[in-house]
Amino acid sequence: MYKAPVEDILFTLKHVAGLDAALADGAFGDLGEDIVDAVMIEAGRFASDEIAPLAAIGDIQGAKLVDGAVKTPDGWRDLYRNWAAGGWNSLTAAEEFGGQGLPHMLHIAAMEMWNAGAMAFALGPMLTMGAVDALEKHGSDDLKAIYLQKMISGEWTGTMNLTEPHAGSDLGVLKSRAERRDDGSYRIFGQKIFITWGEHDFTDNIVHLVLARLSDAPEGTRGISLFLVPKFLVNADGSLGARNDLFCHALEHKLGIHASPTCTMIYGDGHFGAEKGAIGYLIGEENRGLNCMFTMMNNARLAVGVQGVAMADAATQKAIAFARERTQGKAPGWEGKGMSPIIEHPDIARTLLTMKALTQGARAIAYICAYAVDKARHLEGDEVRFWADRSSLLTPIAKSFGTDAGVDVASMGVQVHGGMGFIEETGAARLLRDARIAPIYEGTNGIQAVDLVTRKLPIGNGDHVRGFIVELAKIAGVVAASNLDGFGNTKDRLNASLRDLETATVWLLERLAAGEMAAALAGATAYQRLFGLTLTGIYLAKGALADAGDDQQPARIALCRFAAENLIGETAALKHSIVYGADSLAAARIALA
Amino acid sequence: MYKAPVEDILFTLKHVAGLDAALADGAFGDLGEDIVDAVMIEAGRFASDEIAPLAAIGDIQGAKLVDGAVKTPDGWRDLYRNWAAGGWNSLTAAEEFGGQGLPHMLHIAAMEMWNAGAMAFALGPMLTMGAVDALEKHGSDDLKAIYLQKMISGEWTGTMNLTEPHAGSDLGVLKSRAERRDDGSYRIFGQKIFITWGEHDFTDNIVHLVLARLSDAPEGTRGISLFLVPKFLVNADGSLGARNDLFCHALEHKLGIHASPTCTMIYGDGHFGAEKGAIGYLIGEENRGLNCMFTMMNNARLAVGVQGVAMADAATQKAIAFARERTQGKAPGWEGKGMSPIIEHPDIARTLLTMKALTQGARAIAYICAYAVDKARHLEGDEVRFWADRSSLLTPIAKSFGTDAGVDVASMGVQVHGGMGFIEETGAARLLRDARIAPIYEGTNGIQAVDLVTRKLPIGNGDHVRGFIVELAKIAGVVAASNLDGFGNTKDRLNASLRDLETATVWLLERLAAGEMAAALAGATAYQRLFGLTLTGIYLAKGALADAGDDQQPARIALCRFAAENLIGETAALKHSIVYGADSLAAARIALA
């Protein structure tokens, strides 16, 4: 069973992601370490003791659609209500609306633990919080007054309605339509698919954020508006009114996250006998809906990256526990009685260390990205731009590297279990099944790579990413200067990967400058992974260099060295593929004809 | 829907794996190309038209245990009977017992297609053929006379009963026991788990091959005997007699291959009211059972590798078809109307080419391994030893590289489908779920790596593997001499990987010679992958160099170049990890404490 690694998480927050310094210099007001520790310990307790025990039954029973209503698995409704009652839905939201106004990095760390407990559960609140973000930033005061407090408390949940059958990665072609009503509201018509937690029995109301197009809107992405469309209309006194003209038509039968209902939503077909058209309220301006949605999506991308970290950590814990218990054969040097625990076999140890290093690397990247989000929120002036740029740059890497790590590590976890890994009761396979969605949704990892190369590298004409690499090189320099034996060849390996990163970055910036998009995009995914691997090496080193006053430093140095000498060497091949592979990719298209 | 790639398969058999030369020099007697073509075309037709259409229902319904009997999915019983009636069970078996005596490489190629049609289906006959092999080689004439013809025709199926709860990779500790009876037969007692197709409704009888221990046997692997234990005893006239004292107690609930019943088998608990103990017949000699079982296991390992190839090919076909149909966004250079098919996006094209290259590489390795098996069977004298050594060396690589490719490529296939990939109806997720068992069973890929490094590298004091690398270098030399523009930097990349392979091989042989097992085993999995990647590059080149008289040579050259310049560069990092990573692995064990 998953046990939230609160100590590791606090260590990464404080000593790798920068929370310690931020607390010391008052960046988060009067927030103190005691509060941080208490929140993380209690969030971890809830994840381990309340959520994790319901993960298996959630997977087995799944969400069921009965007469248009979704029935959640046994115990899940109470779980949600306890969770909301514990105040967990309001960690970072504005205090004005009942939120606790804590830093985003604490929220991200807590989300890791909740997702590791049961990803299908934590996914619902994740979307509510995205909807809250969009509403806080772009909603009118009237809308905020009616909806925000209840969504922040968790009394109502929120959804994101983007995808349609022909509009997934490319939202410009969506067809759902909106008609203006005389009172300033709208009527919404259309079908949305893949709507996560679009219908459920946790709460009395569900607040859908829906993208749709006005009949006189321009074509493409500049003609899309965002609407708030509640399941039940809300009376002036805040009580629930009539059922709105929307319903869940079907649930998808998915590979994983079975307890999370993935809904096909129908808007405006007169299902409830009223005048046709679901009543919706504009968020932001007409035709500017995609901008509002991007607010949600950026934070959601980081949160999805953290889902990957969560699956990776849960899988690693499970595999290590199994490998300590399971005995088979005799490992070299084994002098115990009978068979050795399989953790003693070098191949198993290598797998477990790989899992651990990828998990910690992906976690560090995500938390550092969250730290940048916080800095951009809490600072003023030029620094805001810098930290907003930093979080923009890191978001696609955090999303893709975290979710790839989730799948890869979960798959390694299945492998460590041998035949038992293929048996569902073991639970290792569920982690792989759940993890598999994360590289896909909130923008596939391929889309993240396109975003990284075409939108994030050019920030400040490439100065931002170049400056970042210089920062990273300084950490490698500290390793070199540290004279700590345990690092082995870490310094050389980090520097080699940094050179690969720099060479690939320069090459890609040149392609962009020359307008050679096909060549730049050919290497986008390889570049994204190169970046993630290099950051993994550097951030493990940063953690290993920190004196946390505990006895774990030797283990952290040893894991960093393992990653540097065994995992990050792949950057050389990735760089080569980026710089020399584009021509061969173009030439090989005939093999796909 | 899967369509057997008969042309690609025939090309690989003839021009890469050596079938053309073998037919020309009469290695397979009077077997001619026309027969080969006809068998492959018809095997492919059966896979595409008969098996593949039942794959989805097999997955959805699964195998069910009802009152001790297994009910297979709708249509599967007829499918099996048609398959056996078509003579497909007897492709390679001895003509003396009704087999067709065809080369093993044709069998392997046909198995690829059947597995790609539905892996859960093809798995059953795979085990029967393994049992046939063991019986042919080690069974007494009496046993052969009774069982062999019916198992070869497919009238009865066969199983392998190895695993017990505490004996998986390490069979030395198994506890099932055998007692001698006065008539020369035995009584068998014990519990076996993970018994594939241990019970079903396809046939009237099932022939279990069971490992068990005599009470006076030595401990460990040298005290294990192999028994033939039929579900129904067989009368002297060949008709079925009494039910034997064995039954299927439970089925596992698995991640994939749902239609393949994975049985817990109970032997000798008096379930059928008779005297306790299932009646069994010794195969080979007492206490030498593991040797007999290894006959089955080596062929089974290659066959499982081919299951990986099959899943990879099915996933690649499905992803390419989807990527041609699905439109999203506009790829660089797209001048068509509206959105481009996603295959036009460089990142998707890269993914599909990677899938294709890995599939073809893994296929070539498997077929070349089968060719070596055939050569060892059909030749005499010193050459037998050479080809037996070659198949021994290649078997762990074919098994591990093929099955890793199966999982990796199936996962890429899910990704190419975007959100649809996570929906079970699409079928991409099923391929990933089915593929996931293959790196685990028939010896985990970690066990394969141990086998490769500790048993296969030392063959002939390392001379065999060194000679093999020289052979491979000759192919790279032909690329260099070919002066074909389309190869780009293929020559340099192949040579770089060959140097990595050579360096790692020498280093590992030195560790073995010095008795430094922990260091050798630390790099075993990395070495296995290094070998597979290098072979992929070399064999794609071998195919690209061949003039098959078709118009596909430019596409083959381009795919080879893509693999050389984008995929196999990983060998440098693998070599580094092997040669320099062992110390860091040992040091990092404190991070697992």
Side-chain angles (χ1 to χ4, degrees):
Chain A
M1 185 75 76
Y2 172 75
K3 181 144 177 35
V6 178
E7 278 182 30
D8 284 355
I9 283 176
L10 281 170
F11 173 84
T12 306
L13 284 171
K14 294 176 183 176
H15 300 285
V16 182
L19 179 60
D20 250 10
L23 293 179
D25 66 18
F28 300 137
D30 57 1
L31 179 68
E33 191 169 351
D34 50 344
I35 298 288
V36 168
D37 290 357
V39 169
M40 289 295 104
I41 288 167
E42 188 53 22
R45 191 205 63 75
F46 196 91
S48 310
D49 296 352
E50 310 284 331
I51 303 178
L54 291 175
I57 200 167
D59 183 59
I60 292 164
Q61 295 187 349
K64 299 256 188 299
L65 184 65
V66 183
D67 299 332
V70 167
K71 186 179 169 344
T72 54
D74 292 349
W76 278 52
R77 189 166 185 267
D78 288 342
L79 174 64
Y80 177 80
R81 299 202 165 202
N82 291 339
W83 185 86
W88 295 116
N89 207 50
S90 59
L91 228 45
T92 52
E95 294 173 78
E96 178 188 356
F97 295 100
Q100 299 174 45
L102 288 167
H104 192 55
M105 57 197 304
L106 296 193
H107 188 196
I108 283 292
M111 275 207 270
E112 181 197 317
M113 298 189 272
W114 300 329
N115 274 288
M119 185 167 139
F121 175 79
L123 182 53
M126 208 171 97
L127 288 159
T128 300
M129 294 175 214
V132 165
D133 271 351
L135 195 55
E136 263 189 324
K137 288 217 181 54
H138 304 286
S140 67
D141 287 344
D142 281 355
L143 278 182
K144 286 191 206 174
I146 299 169
Y147 292 96
L148 214 40
Q149 190 160 354
K150 287 189 166 146
M151 292 171 73
I152 287 172
S153 72
E155 186 177 338
W156 297 345
T157 64
T159 73
M160 290 167 71
N161 283 237
L162 288 73
T163 306
E164 298 176 11
H166 294 281
S169 301
D170 188 343
L171 291 170
V173 296
L174 65 80
K175 291 176 180 162
S176 289
R177 61 192 177 81
E179 292 176 5
R180 296 184 191 87
R181 296 176 78 215
D182 293 342
D183 67 353
S185 68
Y186 297 78
R187 287 201 180 272
I188 311 294
F189 303 86
Q191 180 187 356
K192 294 285 180 179
I193 61 170
F194 298 165
I195 307 310
T196 300
W197 287 97
E199 171 62 27
H200 58 76
D201 56 10
F202 283 177
T203 57
D204 299 332
N205 206 4
I206 302 172
V207 181
H208 301 289
L209 265 52
V210 183
L211 288 181
R213 188 184 292 285
L214 287 156
S215 58
D216 55 2
E219 281 197 7
T221 52
R222 288 171 191 187
I224 296 174
S225 306
L226 180 64
F227 300 92
L228 184 155
V229 189
K231 177 177 169 185
F232 285 95
L233 299 175
V234 180
N235 297 323
D237 64 356
S239 64
L240 292 188
R243 174 78 190 232
N244 207 351
D245 186 12
L246 66 95
F247 72 105
C248 169
H249 170 68
L251 297 186
E252 303 289 354
H253 176 216
K254 306 187 301 295
L255 173 62
I257 51 167
H258 291 161
S260 167
T262 302
C263 305
T264 299
M265 301 297 298
I266 309 284
Y267 290 87
D269 84 334
H271 193 73
F272 289 97
E275 185 187 351
K276 277 191 185 181
I279 296 191
Y281 310 96
L282 186 69
I283 297 180
E285 295 171 38
E286 286 186 355
N287 300 332
R288 302 275 294 162
L290 228 47
N291 283 38
C292 306
M293 214 58 164
F294 276 132
T295 303
M296 287 169 71
M297 280 168 63
N298 255 330
N299 288 343
R301 284 174 174 188
L302 173 56
V304 169
V306 165
Q307 292 192 309
V309 178
M311 292 297 95
D313 192 51
T316 304
Q317 287 191 24
K318 187 180 270 294
I320 291 177
F322 181 83
R324 283 181 185 145
E325 289 292 319
R326 173 75 174 175
T327 58
Q328 283 294 273
K330 281 184 200 299
W334 173 250
E335 292 174 353
K337 205 169 158 247
M339 299 190 288
S340 19
I342 63 171
I343 200 170
E344 297 293 328
H345 290 286
D347 186 64
I348 298 287
R350 172 181 291 276
T351 306
L352 296 173
L353 288 166
T354 301
M355 296 167 75
K356 200 154 184 174
L358 288 173
T359 304
Q360 294 194 2
R363 176 184 291 146
I365 294 168
Y367 290 9
I368 285 172
C369 183
Y371 173 77
V373 171
D374 279 324
K375 291 285 260 189
R377 280 187 187 169
H378 288 83
L379 292 170
E380 289 176 8
D382 286 351
E383 286 197 295
V384 171
R385 171 56 29 207
F386 176 85
W387 288 107
D389 289 346
R390 177 60 49 87
S391 75
S392 291
L393 177 65
L394 283 174
T395 296
I397 305 169
K399 196 277 182 180
S400 62
F401 194 77
T403 56
D404 283 345
V407 172
D408 293 346
V409 170
S411 189
M412 291 179 211
V414 169
Q415 189 70 20
V416 168
H417 285 80
M420 290 306 298
F422 201 62
I423 307 301
E424 286 288 2
E425 281 83 348
T426 307
R430 170 173 57 76
L431 295 173
L432 175 59
R433 288 189 289 98
D434 287 356
R436 194 61 194 81
I437 187 58
I440 294 173
Y441 62 15
E442 288 306 319
T444 65
N445 286 2
I447 298 276
Q448 303 300 325
V450 172
D451 177 55
L452 174 64
V453 168
T454 64
R455 294 196 202 97
K456 306 306 172 60
L457 285 195
I459 292 174
N461 286 314
D463 285 347
H464 188 85
V465 65
R466 276 189 289 259
F468 186 38
I469 296 172
V470 171
E471 289 175 42
L472 299 173
K474 282 184 191 155
I475 299 174
V478 180
V479 173
S482 75
N483 280 323
L484 287 164
D485 276 350
F487 273 121
N489 292 313
T490 298
K491 165 186 64 112
D492 295 338
R493 307 313 300 161
L494 292 179
N495 283 326
S497 289
L498 283 166
R499 280 193 301 275
D500 294 332
L501 177 60
E502 193 175 6
T503 304
T505 303
V506 168
W507 189 88
L508 287 169
L509 285 168
E510 287 171 359
R511 296 290 80 63
L512 293 173
E516 298 170 14
M517 293 307 288
L521 292 178
T525 287
Y527 179 71
Q528 188 165 248
R529 179 162 177 82
L530 194 172
F531 218 139
L533 281 172
T534 305
L535 291 177
T536 294
I538 294 288
Y539 291 150
L540 286 176
K542 191 177 177 189
L545 290 163
D547 178 7
D550 59 14
D551 60 357
Q552 292 299 301
Q553 194 177 20
R556 285 193 284 263
I557 291 174
L559 187 66
C560 170
R561 178 187 167 196
F562 173 81
E565 296 188 12
N566 292 276
L567 301 183
I568 69 171
E570 191 188 333
T571 57
L574 293 165
K575 178 207 69 181
H576 193 279
S577 171
I578 295 161
V579 174
Y580 300 104
D583 288 348
S584 69
L585 173 62
R589 283 188 171 274
I590 53 170
L592 295 175
Chain B
M1 183 78 76
Y2 172 75
K3 182 146 175 40
V6 177
E7 280 182 30
D8 283 356
I9 283 176
L10 281 170
F11 174 85
T12 306
L13 284 171
K14 292 174 185 177
H15 300 286
V16 182
L19 179 60
D20 251 11
L23 294 177
D25 67 15
F28 300 138
D30 56 4
L31 179 67
E33 191 169 353
D34 50 344
I35 299 286
V36 167
D37 290 356
V39 169
M40 286 297 103
I41 288 167
E42 188 55 21
R45 191 205 62 74
F46 196 90
S48 310
D49 297 352
E50 311 283 331
I51 303 177
L54 291 175
I57 200 166
D59 182 59
I60 292 165
Q61 295 187 348
K64 299 258 188 298
L65 184 66
V66 183
D67 299 333
V70 168
K71 186 178 169 346
T72 54
D74 293 348
W76 278 52
R77 188 167 187 264
D78 288 342
L79 174 65
Y80 177 79
R81 297 198 166 203
N82 292 339
W83 186 87
W88 295 117
N89 207 49
S90 60
L91 227 46
T92 51
E95 294 174 78
E96 178 188 357
F97 295 101
Q100 299 174 46
L102 288 167
H104 192 56
M105 57 197 305
L106 297 192
H107 188 196
I108 283 293
M111 275 207 269
E112 182 197 317
M113 298 189 274
W114 301 328
N115 274 288
M119 184 168 142
F121 176 79
L123 181 55
M126 208 171 98
L127 287 159
T128 301
M129 295 173 216
V132 165
D133 271 352
L135 196 55
E136 264 188 321
K137 289 216 182 58
H138 304 285
S140 67
D141 288 343
D142 282 354
L143 277 183
K144 286 193 207 175
I146 300 168
Y147 292 95
L148 215 41
Q149 191 160 352
K150 288 189 165 145
M151 291 172 73
I152 287 171
S153 71
E155 187 177 335
W156 298 344
T157 62
T159 71
M160 291 166 71
N161 284 237
L162 287 75
T163 305
E164 299 177 9
H166 294 283
S169 302
D170 188 343
L171 291 169
V173 296
L174 66 79
K175 291 177 181 164
S176 288
R177 61 195 177 80
E179 292 177 5
R180 295 183 193 89
R181 296 176 76 216
D182 293 341
D183 66 355
S185 67
Y186 298 76
R187 287 200 180 273
I188 311 293
F189 304 85
Q191 180 187 356
K192 293 284 180 179
I193 62 168
F194 297 165
I195 307 310
T196 300
W197 286 96
E199 171 64 26
H200 58 75
D201 55 11
F202 283 176
T203 59
D204 300 332
N205 206 4
I206 301 172
V207 181
H208 301 288
L209 266 53
V210 183
L211 289 181
R213 190 185 290 285
L214 287 156
S215 57
D216 55 2
E219 281 195 10
T221 53
R222 289 172 190 184
I224 296 174
S225 306
L226 179 63
F227 300 93
L228 184 155
V229 189
K231 177 176 169 185
F232 286 95
L233 298 174
V234 181
N235 298 322
D237 64 358
S239 64
L240 293 186
R243 174 76 191 237
N244 207 353
D245 185 14
L246 64 96
F247 72 105
C248 169
H249 169 68
L251 297 185
E252 301 290 354
H253 175 217
K254 305 188 301 294
L255 174 61
I257 53 169
H258 291 161
S260 167
T262 302
C263 306
T264 299
M265 301 296 298
I266 309 284
Y267 291 87
D269 83 334
H271 192 73
F272 289 98
E275 184 187 351
K276 279 192 183 181
I279 295 187
Y281 311 98
L282 187 69
I283 297 180
E285 296 172 38
E286 286 184 354
N287 301 333
R288 301 275 295 163
L290 228 45
N291 284 39
C292 306
M293 214 59 167
F294 276 131
T295 303
M296 289 169 70
M297 280 170 61
N298 256 329
N299 289 342
R301 285 174 174 189
L302 173 55
V304 169
V306 165
Q307 294 191 308
V309 179
M311 291 297 95
D313 192 51
T316 304
Q317 287 189 26
K318 186 179 271 293
I320 290 176
F322 180 84
R324 282 184 185 142
E325 291 292 319
R326 172 76 175 175
T327 59
Q328 283 295 271
K330 283 185 199 298
W334 173 248
E335 292 173 355
K337 207 171 153 246
M339 298 189 289
S340 19
I342 63 170
I343 200 170
E344 298 293 329
H345 290 286
D347 185 66
I348 298 287
R350 172 181 291 272
T351 306
L352 296 172
L353 288 167
T354 301
M355 296 167 76
K356 201 156 182 171
L358 288 173
T359 304
Q360 294 194 3
R363 176 184 289 146
I365 294 168
Y367 291 9
I368 285 172
C369 183
Y371 173 77
V373 172
D374 279 324
K375 291 287 259 189
R377 279 185 188 171
H378 287 82
L379 293 169
E380 289 176 7
D382 286 351
E383 287 196 293
V384 172
R385 168 58 28 209
F386 175 85
W387 288 108
D389 288 347
R390 178 59 49 87
S391 75
S392 291
L393 176 65
L394 283 174
T395 295
I397 304 169
K399 196 278 182 180
S400 62
F401 194 77
T403 56
D404 283 344
V407 173
D408 292 345
V409 171
S411 189
M412 291 178 211
V414 169
Q415 189 71 18
V416 168
H417 284 80
M420 292 304 298
F422 201 63
I423 307 300
E424 288 287 0
E425 281 82 348
T426 307
R430 171 173 56 78
L431 295 173
L432 175 59
R433 288 190 289 99
D434 286 357
R436 194 61 194 78
I437 187 58
I440 295 173
Y441 63 14
E442 289 307 319
T444 65
N445 287 1
I447 298 276
Q448 304 298 325
V450 172
D451 177 55
L452 174 64
V453 168
T454 64
R455 296 195 202 98
K456 306 306 171 61
L457 286 196
I459 292 173
N461 284 316
D463 285 347
H464 188 85
V465 66
R466 275 188 290 258
F468 186 39
I469 296 172
V470 171
E471 288 176 43
L472 299 173
K474 283 185 189 152
I475 299 173
V478 180
V479 172
S482 75
N483 280 324
L484 287 163
D485 276 351
F487 273 121
N489 293 313
T490 299
K491 166 187 64 112
D492 295 338
R493 307 312 301 163
L494 293 179
N495 283 327
S497 288
L498 283 165
R499 279 195 301 275
D500 294 333
L501 177 60
E502 195 175 4
T503 304
T505 304
V506 168
W507 189 88
L508 287 169
L509 285 168
E510 286 171 359
R511 295 291 82 63
L512 294 173
E516 298 169 12
M517 294 306 288
L521 292 178
T525 287
Y527 179 73
Q528 188 165 250
R529 179 161 180 81
L530 194 171
F531 217 139
L533 281 171
T534 305
L535 291 176
T536 292
I538 294 289
Y539 291 150
L540 286 175
K542 191 176 178 190
L545 289 163
D547 178 6
D550 59 14
D551 61 357
Q552 291 300 301
Q553 195 179 18
R556 285 192 284 264
I557 291 173
L559 187 66
C560 170
R561 179 187 168 197
F562 173 81
E565 297 188 11
N566 292 276
L567 301 183
I568 70 172
E570 190 189 333
T571 57
L574 293 165
K575 177 207 72 182
H576 192 278
S577 170
I578 296 160
V579 174
Y580 300 104
D583 288 348
S584 69
L585 174 61
R589 283 188 171 274
I590 51 167
L592 296 175

